[in-house]
Amino acid sequence: MEPRESWAALAAGGIAGVSVDLILFPLDTVKTRLQSPQGFRKAGGFRGIYAGVPSTAIGSFPNAAAFFITYENVKSMLHHGSTSYLTPATHMVAASLGEVVACLIRVPSEVVKQRAQVSPPSSTLRILSHILYHEIPFSLLQFPLWESLKDLWSWKQGHVVDSWQSAVCGAFAGGFAAAVTTPLDVAKTRIMLAKAGSSNASGNVLAALGGIWRTQGLSGLFAGVVPRMAAISLGGFIFLGTYEKTRQLLL
């Protein structure tokens, strides 16, 4: 990639990240409280649904910027000489590496945000691995699907998709990935909010999933799936649409 393209990805990603996080913060708070082991009402209900927004705003720009500059550069490098049927794998690798880099920035603000949204004390030592365990599977689904939908739409209409069309593709990709990965999101939330000495405090994601299945069944594993899908579908529309539009303006 040219330096100008890298800077455009950096700036566009940061702007998109701040925009979507501030707009959708209340839905994320509701989702977190629905997944809390305390129950929705005891976790705060609808009170203070903007609690934790300062840490989110501070972390959004560098987090999204780091993801997209990594994603675009890795995608550019891997595309050279690769065949078309390997394209989804290229997007998977690029998205995974983007999440690893972005996660280093996301961890501190995520911990502060979750604690402000629900309140109980939790350990911060294992947050990096928990978020990677959750975010990489999500990105492995979302970004290859987003890119594939854009390519299909571009082929159907005979020219590259506009930013609003990219946003629509982002909404579909985000909603699908959100639904499939909801159990991991529930487990991550339970672990992050676990009290010291509880079964979830060990940080074992598979154990957390098993515990939720035994005590609450399928409904427990998919707790908060509707607001999660709603938030991420809308978020995918805003995030990826804003990213594409801003990047186009900067190039």
Side-chain angles (χ1 to χ4, degrees):
M1 285 179 67
E2 296 292 330
R4 184 182 177 188
E5 293 176 314
S6 292
W7 283 112
L10 185 79
I15 291 169
V18 171
S19 299
V20 72
D21 279 351
L22 294 183
I23 292 170
L24 300 183
F25 195 89
L27 275 176
D28 185 60
T29 302
V30 170
K31 182 268 299 180
T32 299
R33 291 176 179 178
L34 281 168
Q35 295 175 349
S36 170
Q38 304 175 68
F40 180 67
R41 289 187 178 180
K42 288 185 178 180
F46 290 103
R47 298 189 307 274
I49 58 175
Y50 270 96
V53 72
S55 65
T56 297
I58 291 170
S60 292
F61 189 99
N63 170 45
F67 172 84
F68 272 111
I69 194 171
T70 305
Y71 177 74
E72 295 290 356
N73 275 282
V74 173
K75 188 173 71 171
S76 177
M77 287 187 291
L78 294 180
H79 266 163
H80 290 298
S82 64
T83 54
S84 59
Y85 67 87
L86 289 177
T87 298
T90 295
H91 296 149
M92 287 180 179
V93 173
S96 298
L97 291 176
E99 285 295 352
V100 170
V101 174
C103 195
L104 299 175
I105 298 170
R106 181 183 298 134
V107 170
S109 62
E110 177 76 5
V111 173
V112 173
K113 180 189 73 173
Q114 294 251 355
R115 287 178 171 179
Q117 287 175 336
V118 182
S119 293
S122 60
S123 172
T124 62
L125 299 178
R126 297 179 301 275
I127 299 303
L128 177 63
S129 62
H130 297 334
I131 293 181
L132 285 176
Y133 202 109
H134 163 256
E135 295 294 342
I136 288 181
F138 179 85
S139 293
L140 284 174
L141 292 170
Q142 184 190 31
F143 280 89
L145 183 56
W146 175 55
E147 298 279 11
S148 296
L149 290 172
K150 287 195 301 175
D151 289 344
L152 179 61
W153 203 338
S154 298
W155 175 73
K156 285 281 188 181
Q157 66 186 7
H159 62 81
V160 177
V161 293
D162 296 324
S163 56
W164 72 267
Q165 293 171 317
S166 177
V168 171
C169 294
F172 278 104
F176 176 78
V180 174
T181 59
T182 294
L184 286 176
D185 189 55
V186 175
K188 184 201 74 170
T189 300
R190 294 290 178 90
I191 290 169
M192 291 181 73
L193 302 177
K195 294 181 179 179
S198 67
S199 59
N200 286 333
S202 65
N204 189 314
V205 175
L206 293 178
L209 288 170
I212 296 166
W213 171 256
R214 286 190 297 273
T215 57
Q216 295 177 281
L218 197 62
S219 62
L221 288 174
F222 285 90
V225 65
V226 173
R228 174 172 162 80
M229 283 185 67
I232 294 179
S233 293
L234 183 55
F237 184 91
I238 298 169
F239 184 53
L240 297 173
T242 301
Y243 171 74
E244 290 277 28
K245 186 63 177 179
T246 307
R247 188 165 177 265
Q248 288 171 8
L249 292 173
L250 293 173
L251 289 175

